[in-house]
Amino acid sequence: MPSFDICFSPELLPLYNLRGRVAVVVDILRATSSIVTALAQGVTHLVPVSEVADCQALALQGYLTAAERDGRQLEGVDLGNSPFGYLDGVVAVRGRSVAITTTNGTRALHLSQAADAVVVGAFLNLGAVANFLREQQKDVVVVCAGWKGNFCLEDTLFGGALAQQLAADFNTTDSDATLAALDLWQAAAPDVAGYLLKSSHVRRLNSLESHKDMEFCVRQNEYDVVPLYQGGQIT
Ligand code: 3SL
């Protein structure tokens, strides 16, 4: 049976051998939720980059630009990091490509590239990701983007939710990280949005008046997309 493990922070990735495994990169608030939403709304592909200057360089080739630091949209770009940027119609996104940089999510993607496949996970595509992993039958590591190297509740909850879905097909009992995430998920599952009100990033986003984003990002199975990061692009 393939194994299922969770890496609570990109800083811990040197302890995990990603070769031969599928990495599921997750940044529930909000990078991977926004990427899943973007593709579901008809964005052709996204290029995760490190700096806003990299976004600007790709803008010269016709890319839309999305950039966030510390929860705020940076000046001079088309989009921030809210999934509603891809939904509200202010920027026409269908058929466009997007260069995106965020505080933690794009970094976690870059650091996961040694894996056999890098999947973008969110509650919004939870079931689709679970089905994909069942088909692959390879060991899985969920890579939590966290916040500036620290553990965060929302990405860990996703790891627990995914482990619960895959418990019949994957070994979810040998990793303490997975066991902890499963326990946390059991505690939070009846009211994920309510549970996350106490989390540091929800408090941070609320102070920036991004209240509705969290409630959207915890919705399950809104989209049937399984974004893959390969060759520098997420499609
Ligand atoms: O850190 C990130 O990549 C972002 O998702 C953070 S925020 O939700 O946009 O503040």
Side-chain angles (χ1 to χ4, degrees), residues 38-170:
L39 290 168
Q41 296 309 312
V43 165
T44 58
H45 68 271
L46 300 98
V47 175
V49 295
S50 301
E51 303 295 337
V52 69
D54 305 321
C55 287
Q56 308 292 18
L58 286 169
L60 300 175
Q61 297 173 32
Y63 281 74
L64 290 172
T65 52
E68 164 277 332
R69 286 295 179 273
D70 294 326
R72 291 187 170 79
Q73 178 171 339
L74 297 184
E75 281 189 20
V77 296
D78 302 303
L79 296 150
N81 197 25
S82 168
F84 290 102
Y86 300 93
L87 291 166
D88 61 14
V90 174
V91 178
V93 298
R94 183 163 296 278
R96 300 293 303 273
S97 48
V98 178
I100 181 171
T101 182
T102 72
T103 310
N104 306 287
T106 48
R107 179 167 177 265
L109 284 161
H110 292 154
L111 292 172
S112 299
Q113 288 178 96
D116 275 18
V118 181
V119 179
V120 177
F123 285 115
L124 297 169
N125 67 343
L126 176 67
V129 169
N131 287 338
F132 175 83
L133 296 172
R134 277 190 208 98
E135 283 162 16
Q136 298 295 304
Q137 281 297 307
K138 282 191 175 176
D139 295 341
V140 169
V141 181
V142 175
V143 179
C144 299
W147 181 260
K148 297 186 178 177
N150 287 301
F151 173 95
C152 77
L153 284 172
E154 60 276 13
D155 299 344
T156 307
L157 287 183
F158 170 84
L162 187 61
Q164 188 183 63
Q165 296 228 346
L166 294 175
D169 309 292
F170 286 74

Side-chain angles (χ1 to χ4, degrees), residues 13 23 35 46 49 62 121 135 139 157 161 166 173 193-194 211 214 234-235:
L13 268 176
I35 289 168
L46 300 98
V49 295
E135 283 162 16
D139 295 341
L157 287 183
L166 294 175
T173 56
H211 311 280
M214 183 268 278
I234 303 168
T235 53

